[in-house]
């Protein structure tokens, strides 16, 4: 079996903050050691909403690459690149657009939602409607099996699966497929051939997914099959003659509960963020200025951590001993809020120290960052070209 491939992208909308770090990047850091990973800056996706400020996107793209490297993404482990540097994404997007029903795009829930959310901007554009399809091209072009995304992106992955299915159904026809598939079944030998036929019937007539899994296991263990025959048997099983584009699965990133400075979810639009590479003085100042339980007007007033946003940060950054110290000290007014905030400040600064150091290094070596991205681009393009060859061949163009 080949290793499952992971693909994900991020729109370059500005400096990353600790919410991105805890919500997305820590997960990517783990994945880069477990799978072959491709991570890209989705600059075209940013353009769907920021078409009036492309120069911002350009600037943010490089900054995002620095943020990723600073966070610890390792270019020797993961392939890092910029979407627009791999024009094959655009070619696949165009070809897919020919067979994508308009209704499918209009029905993607994020379409209306985002239009309403960004009401000040005219988003009744062709490009914005095509946002999910561009994302499908990003994923399908690498035949990715797993796509780490937040919950909000799950409808896009579902949409991508439908596009892959439709593509395979429309263009995955090999001349003489039925006959070739039947020949391949015979080659399995009497007993296995019968079992395969039985499982195939069970799936096709009753939609029994277990039968598909059993048939897959059966095919996996047979050594003497040619690659082409194996493919045919996989396809014949499920009624697709040939799988050209693979259906990906969402690898759901656990919803980040990273609280911002006011206790609400950390988000740029709420202005409650600490940047990934925020200067230490600024971090200290921001935490010191955080609101606390309003009942603690004077130092001697007892408080309740449940009513305090600082307590939420302790959940992320402090161990059990420290948290017990906070709970007891707050309720008895033994500690003041300044004392209570110090361990949070210390932990954030400690978390950021290696990040800041790496960021410094990469910022001083912009050529290095550009080289990392162009190496990544070359690797990504090799894979993308391979898929495009199969796609063009399947469509006969
Ligand atoms: N739409 C994604 C987001 O906003 C970013 C993205 C673009 C993406 N292309 C992708 C994510 C492909 C995963 C795979 O978060
Ligand atoms: Fe919040 Fe800590 Fe002050 Fe209690 S002591 S109100 S938990 S900052």
């Amino acid at each position: 079996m080949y290793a499952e491939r992971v693909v994900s992208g991020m729109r370059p909308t500005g400096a990353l903050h600790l919410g991105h770090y805890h919500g997305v990047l820590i997960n990517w850091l783990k994945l880069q050691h477990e799978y072959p990973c491709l991570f890209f800056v989705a600059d075209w996706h940013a353009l769907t909403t920021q078409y009036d400020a492309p120069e911002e996107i350009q600037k943010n793209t490089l900054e995002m690459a620095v943020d990723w490297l600073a966070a610890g993404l390792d270019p020797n482990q993961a392939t890092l690149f910029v979407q627009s540097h791999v024009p094959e994404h655009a070619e696949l997007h165009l070809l897919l657009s020919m067979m994508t029903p308009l209704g499918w795009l209009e029905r993607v829930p994020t379409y209306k939602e985002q239009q309403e959310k960004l009401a000040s901007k005219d988003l009744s554009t062709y490009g914005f409607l095509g946002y999910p399809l561009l994302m499908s091209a990003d994923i399908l072009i690498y035949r990715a099996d797993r796509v780490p995304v937040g919950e909000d992106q799950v409808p896009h992955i579902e949409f991508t699966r439908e596009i892959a299915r439709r593509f395979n159904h429309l263009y995955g026809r090999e001349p003489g497929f039925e006959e070739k598939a039947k020949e391949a079944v015979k080659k399995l030998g009497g007993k296995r051939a019968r079992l395969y036929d039985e499982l195939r019937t069970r799936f096709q007539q009753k939609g029994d997914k277990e039968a598909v899994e059993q048939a897959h296991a059966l095919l996996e263990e047979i050594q003497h099959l040619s690659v082409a025959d194996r493919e045919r048997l996989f396809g014949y099983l499920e009624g697709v003659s040939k799988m050209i584009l693979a259906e990906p699965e969402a690898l759901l990133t656990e919803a980040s509960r990273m609280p911002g400075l006011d206790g609400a979810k950390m988000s740029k639009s709420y202005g409650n963020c600490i940047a990934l590479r925020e200067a230490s003085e600024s971090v200290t100042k921001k935490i010191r200025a955080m609101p606390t339980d309003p009942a603690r007007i004077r130092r001697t007033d007892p408080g309740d951590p449940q009513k305090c946003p600082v307590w939420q940060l302790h959940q992320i950054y402090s161990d059990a001993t420290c948290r017990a110290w906070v709970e007891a000290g707050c309720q008895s007014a033994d500690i003041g809020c300044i004392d209570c905030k110090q361990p949070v400040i210390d932990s954030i600064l400690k978390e950021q120290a290696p990040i800041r150091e790496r960021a410094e290094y990469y910022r001083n070596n912009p050529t290095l960052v550009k080289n990392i991205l162009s190496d990544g681009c070359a690797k990504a393009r090799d894979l993308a070209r391979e898929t495009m060859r199969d796609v063009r061949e399947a469509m006969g163009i």
Side-chain angles (χ1 to χ4, degrees):
M1 270 302 268
Y2 70 106
E4 295 194 10
R5 198 177 286 154
V6 165
V7 170
S8 197
M10 216 188 268
R11 280 170 301 140
T13 46
L16 295 187
H17 52 66
L18 291 181
H20 295 113
Y21 182 67
H22 286 267
V24 184
L25 289 174
I26 289 185
N27 189 37
W28 287 13
L29 293 177
K30 185 163 79 63
L31 288 170
Q32 70 177 345
H33 299 296
E34 298 172 350
Y35 300 99
C37 289
L38 294 129
F39 297 126
F40 63 91
V41 183
D43 54 348
W44 280 334
H45 274 107
L47 211 47
T48 63
T49 53
Q50 279 174 265
Y51 51 81
D52 50 355
E55 63 289 343
E56 279 292 302
I57 298 175
Q58 170 100 358
K59 190 184 96 227
N60 289 336
T61 293
L62 269 188
E63 287 296 317
M64 176 165 273
V66 172
D67 275 338
W68 288 1
L69 293 162
L73 281 179
D74 177 355
N76 295 313
Q77 295 278 352
T79 304
L80 310 177
F81 64 101
V82 179
Q83 182 187 36
S84 67
H85 297 179
V86 185
E88 285 77 8
H89 290 222
E91 186 186 353
L92 183 58
H93 175 232
L94 176 87
L95 292 178
L96 294 176
S97 78
M98 306 301 172
M99 46 138 265
T100 303
L102 213 47
W104 287 18
L105 287 166
E106 286 162 344
R107 254 180 272 124
V108 174
T110 45
Y111 179 57
K112 289 247 154 58
E113 269 165 38
Q114 286 295 103
Q115 269 189 337
E116 280 161 22
K117 209 167 141 198
L118 304 172
S120 59
K121 193 161 250 173
D122 183 4
L123 288 181
S124 43
T125 59
Y126 183 42
F128 186 69
L129 179 66
Y131 186 109
L133 189 64
L134 180 57
M135 188 160 155
S136 301
D138 296 339
I139 296 166
L140 297 174
I141 201 144
Y142 300 110
R143 297 181 155 133
D145 310 274
R146 283 159 192 270
V147 188
V149 283
E151 205 159 0
D152 61 316
Q153 299 292 313
V154 170
H156 294 159
I157 308 299
E158 206 34 62
F159 173 83
T160 302
R161 296 166 62 82
E162 277 164 24
I163 293 291
R165 238 173 278 150
R166 183 164 165 81
F167 185 94
N168 290 333
H169 179 71
L170 282 170
Y171 308 114
R173 296 265 148 85
E174 181 186 24
F177 176 75
E178 286 264 337
E179 293 72 46
K180 285 181 188 161
K182 283 184 186 149
E183 274 307 305
V185 177
K186 273 193 208 141
K187 288 185 209 160
L188 294 177
K191 210 171 123 205
R192 282 171 168 157
R194 268 196 305 281
L195 179 56
Y196 176 90
D197 275 334
E198 194 188 302
L199 293 167
R200 177 171 179 267
T201 312
R202 247 171 67 197
F203 175 69
Q204 301 224 332
Q205 295 184 353
K206 305 200 191 102
D208 184 346
K209 291 214 170 122
E210 220 169 89
V212 172
E213 276 169 32
Q214 275 182 38
H216 276 221
L218 173 74
L219 296 174
E220 295 296 350
E221 73 186 25
I222 302 175
Q223 318 248 320
H224 64 266
L225 272 180
S226 71
V227 175
D229 274 344
R230 190 185 302 268
E231 274 239 348
R232 286 186 190 109
L233 289 173
F234 277 128
Y236 189 51
L237 183 69
E238 297 182 63
V240 201
S241 49
K242 207 171 165 199
M243 302 281 237
I244 298 159
L245 298 176
E247 286 181 41
E249 251 170 69
L251 198 61
L252 204 59
T253 317
E254 220 178 289
S256 163
R257 290 184 304 104
M258 182 71 190
L261 294 164
D262 55 0
K265 184 178 165 176
M266 191 178 280
S267 160
K268 200 172 118 188
S269 50
Y270 299 156
N272 61 357
C273 298
I274 297 176
L276 188 64
R277 310 181 238 146
E278 183 130 1
S280 38
E281 309 77 59
S282 171
V283 172
T284 308
K285 222 163 101 190
K286 280 185 176 175
I287 304 283
R288 291 230 168 106
M290 271 180 79
T292 59
D293 176 0
R296 297 206 71 181
I297 299 164
R298 284 174 301 262
R299 165 70 180 76
T300 47
D301 294 332
D304 176 2
Q306 298 301 332
K307 297 180 181 148
C308 175
V310 179
W311 176 239
Q312 294 190 42
L313 288 178
H314 275 292
Q315 304 301 315
I316 300 211
Y317 284 104
S318 304
D319 60 17
T321 319
C322 177
R323 291 203 306 265
W325 170 77
V326 171
E327 273 195 299
C330 179
Q331 283 160 359
S332 62
D334 271 355
I335 62 170
C337 292
I338 299 283
D339 309 320
C340 178
K341 288 171 172 179
Q342 196 55 44
V344 171
I345 296 174
D346 294 342
S347 299
I348 295 180
L349 294 183
K350 190 166 160 218
E351 174 175 79
Q352 286 178 323
I355 296 178
R356 217 176 281 118
E357 197 176 306
R358 280 189 294 259
E360 184 71 9
Y361 171 72
Y362 286 110
R363 283 183 66 97
N364 291 331
N365 291 283
T367 320
L368 176 60
V369 179
K370 287 194 177 132
N371 287 342
I372 287 170
L373 293 176
S374 71
D375 285 353
C377 164
K379 279 190 222 153
R381 270 198 104 168
D382 282 344
L383 297 170
R385 284 201 182 106
E386 212 176 283
T387 307
M388 280 318 295
R389 254 199 310 274
D390 294 350
V391 165
R392 286 192 214 103
E393 190 192 273
M395 294 180 76
I397 48 171

